[in-house]
Amino acid sequence: MQPPSGLPDGWRRHNPEEKMIPEIKKILYTTDLSENARYAFGYAASLANRYDAGITIFHVLEDISPTSNSLVTNIIGKNKWEELRGQNENEVLATIKSRLTKFCDDVQAELPSCPFITDNIKVKIGNPVDEILLEIENNGYDMVVMGAHGQGILADTLMGSVSRRVVRRCKTPVLVVRLPE
């Protein structure tokens, strides 16, 4: 059988007899700072170590709902709300980024035999699914690693709504990791 003439970006062929093997050089690790996300990071670090890939750590703060935004605007006024929000967003983003840096340092200390490279730590505000998909689309990641949350009684049938929606809409391979029972 004749191999395809062109290979997708990020794929390589060792020789004509071998199957196509994806190159994994850029991993997006998404986190909500939960225990499950911390567990999933072990998989991102392991993959990065195995493939000599870099990891971008990505966290999305969910934006305030339009209803809440409208309510606060009506109470304190649009200008005051925008001023407070701008000040608080910068502080919150800096705090989250600091926590993620510490988290990364802690994991590297726990896994000295598994070195990995953190390319970047990014924090955005918005809809988590939309922001994750936009980050993937704009930055050419080879793989996404994220944790999933079970929903109580439905834990065996549902993964977290964010991870489920990312898997459905993402064109890049996504590894969804659940906490072991």
Side-chain angles (χ1 to χ4, degrees):
M1 184 168 136
Q2 189 71 345
S5 58
L7 296 175
D9 288 345
W11 288 65
R12 62 185 160 84
R13 185 181 302 278
H14 291 286
N15 69 47
E17 304 300 314
E18 291 184 29
K19 294 183 179 181
M20 292 179 290
I21 300 172
E23 275 274 327
I24 300 173
K25 293 297 178 192
K26 287 180 72 174
I27 298 171
L28 178 66
Y29 160 70
T30 65
T31 180
D32 60 2
L33 304 174
S34 67
E35 180 184 354
N36 192 326
R38 183 178 180 91
Y39 182 74
F41 188 74
Y43 284 83
S46 177
L47 286 166
N49 184 45
R50 175 174 295 279
Y51 292 101
D52 194 28
I55 300 174
T56 296
I57 299 172
F58 191 70
H59 177 74
V60 180
L61 291 166
E62 193 153 2
D63 204 1
I64 188 169
S65 73
T67 304
S68 298
N69 191 34
S70 178
L71 181 64
V72 173
T73 301
N74 288 335
I75 293 172
I76 66 171
K78 183 178 181 179
N79 291 339
K80 182 68 175 170
W81 172 236
E82 287 176 1
E83 178 186 331
L84 285 171
R85 187 170 175 176
Q87 290 171 353
N88 288 335
E89 278 181 8
N90 291 335
E91 289 174 23
V92 168
L93 291 174
T95 300
I96 296 290
K97 197 164 188 172
S98 171
R99 283 181 62 191
L100 288 170
T101 301
K102 182 181 179 333
F103 165 79
C104 193
D105 292 343
D106 291 347
V107 171
Q108 283 183 322
E110 289 174 19
L111 303 170
S113 64
C114 182
F116 57 90
I117 299 166
T118 303
D119 287 338
N120 203 350
I121 297 174
K122 297 181 178 184
V123 181
K124 300 282 181 158
I125 296 175
N127 175 295
V129 174
D130 293 341
E131 292 296 332
I132 290 167
L133 292 170
L134 192 60
E135 177 68 17
I136 295 164
E137 183 179 316
N138 291 338
N139 293 289
Y141 295 99
D142 301 308
M143 173 166 269
V144 180
V145 177
M146 59 193 320
H149 294 280
Q151 307 293 325
I153 295 171
L154 302 175
D156 292 331
T157 57
L158 293 178
M159 63 176 111
S161 62
V162 171
S163 53
R164 184 181 67 245
R165 288 183 286 162
V166 168
V167 167
R168 279 188 187 161
R169 294 172 51 192
C170 188
K171 295 174 185 163
T172 301
V174 179
L175 173 62
V176 179
V177 181
R178 295 181 82 159
L179 274 173
E181 295 188 21

